[in-house]
Amino acid sequence: MKLVGISGALSGEKTSLAVNDVLVAAQLQDSTIQTELIDLREYEIEFSVGAPLADYNDDTWEVVTKILSADFLVFGTPIYQASISGALKNLLDHFPENAFKYKVTGIVATGWSNKHFLVPEYQLKPVLSYFKGLIPTGNVYIHNDSFNEDSDEIIDRSVSERIQKLAEEMIYLQRGINNR
Ligand SMILES: Cc1cc2nc3c(=O)[nH]c(=O)nc-3n(C[C@H](O)[C@H](O)[C@H](O)COP(=O)(O)O)c2cc1C
């Protein structure tokens, strides 16, 4: 099984590190799982205008294709203005309906306010559901205080445990889908 993580932040490190932690946790649980991190800082994704995928640049084509060929996915977003990042929403705009059918689609989000912990539930979950993704119950919201200020590593044990549980649940659900 291949698990692809997408970090929807274009500036900081936190979202990318959190998504990577899910990939590492998944590999620790099952070493046969292949993982790949797609960090949107490393790609020039074009704005979606509803054109066929072949009309966009190579980066857009590569990222969309990698995501479509993954068995399951974990999406990371920083909270921007009480919503998901524009970069992640633009990427999602490139996908066809049913893009995530039979794929588990986990969520991690980072933010400076705990008041926005339901933003991923209300704003990212419906979009992933629209694409027929199966969303785990254990999505993870991470306050900035849970990161080390200098290294940006996660220093809050309870957050690391939730990430581990999310990886466990995602693997469990994806195996169930594959054995249906
Ligand atoms: C333009 C902008 C808007 C933001 N809006 C919010 C917000 O509404 N709620 C919140 O909790 N954090 C907000 N933040 C804080 C980021 O979500 C937070 O710092 C996050 O951890 C950044 O992730 P990164 O290090 O991957 O870039 C905002 C940050 C920026 C730059």
Side-chain angles (χ1 to χ4, degrees), residues 108-119:
V108 293
T110 61
W112 63 37
S113 167
N114 272 332
K115 288 183 182 152
H116 288 157
F117 79 103
L118 283 176
V119 166

Side-chain angles (χ1 to χ4, degrees), residues 7 9-16 78-83 110-114 116 141-142 144 147 152:
S7 172
L10 295 185
S11 57
E13 296 288 336
K14 295 182 183 71
T15 311
S16 176
I79 306 298
Y80 279 0
Q81 321 299 24
S83 188
T110 61
W112 63 37
S113 167
N114 272 332
H116 288 157
Y141 183 85
I142 312 171
N144 281 0
F147 292 86
D152 269 344

Side-chain angles (χ1 to χ4, degrees), residues 28-144:
L28 281 173
Q29 281 165 53
D30 180 345
S31 59
T32 67
I33 292 174
Q34 290 173 267
T35 61
E36 182 170 355
L37 175 67
I38 295 175
D39 187 327
L40 292 189
R41 291 176 299 183
E42 292 165 10
Y43 297 90
E44 293 288 334
I45 306 294
E46 285 194 80
F47 274 111
S48 170
V49 291
L53 189 56
D55 290 1
Y56 295 98
N57 65 15
D58 288 351
D59 277 3
T60 307
W61 188 90
E62 185 185 333
V63 167
V64 171
T65 306
K66 273 183 183 175
I67 292 172
L68 286 173
S69 58
D71 293 291
F72 58 146
L73 300 155
V74 57
F75 288 93
T77 184
I79 306 298
Y80 279 0
Q81 321 299 24
S83 188
I84 66 172
S85 71
L88 181 59
K89 180 59 170 67
N90 176 56
L91 172 64
L92 290 167
D93 289 345
H94 282 283
F95 288 90
E97 208 184 326
N98 297 336
F100 305 150
K101 196 168 182 183
Y102 303 132
K103 295 181 202 291
V104 172
T105 50
I107 298 172
V108 293
T110 61
W112 63 37
S113 167
N114 272 332
K115 288 183 182 152
H116 288 157
F117 79 103
L118 283 176
V119 166
E121 290 290 311
Y122 291 146
Q123 303 206 16
L124 184 51
K125 199 169 168 179
V127 181
L128 299 179
S129 286
Y130 171 76
F131 289 124
K132 311 287 187 294
L134 179 69
I135 294 113
T137 59
N139 299 313
V140 181
Y141 183 85
I142 312 171
H143 189 279
N144 281 0

Side-chain angles (χ1 to χ4, degrees), residues 1 3 21-33 35 72 160-172 175:
M1 291 200 293
L3 171 61
D21 280 2
V22 179
L23 303 183
V24 170
Q27 263 227 323
L28 281 173
Q29 281 165 53
D30 180 345
S31 59
T32 67
I33 292 174
T35 61
F72 58 146
S160 299
E161 279 164 19
R162 279 188 278 137
I163 284 177
Q164 199 182 314
K165 287 209 169 92
L166 171 62
E168 251 169 55
E169 185 184 1
M170 289 182 64
I171 294 168
Y172 176 81
R175 285 194 185 127

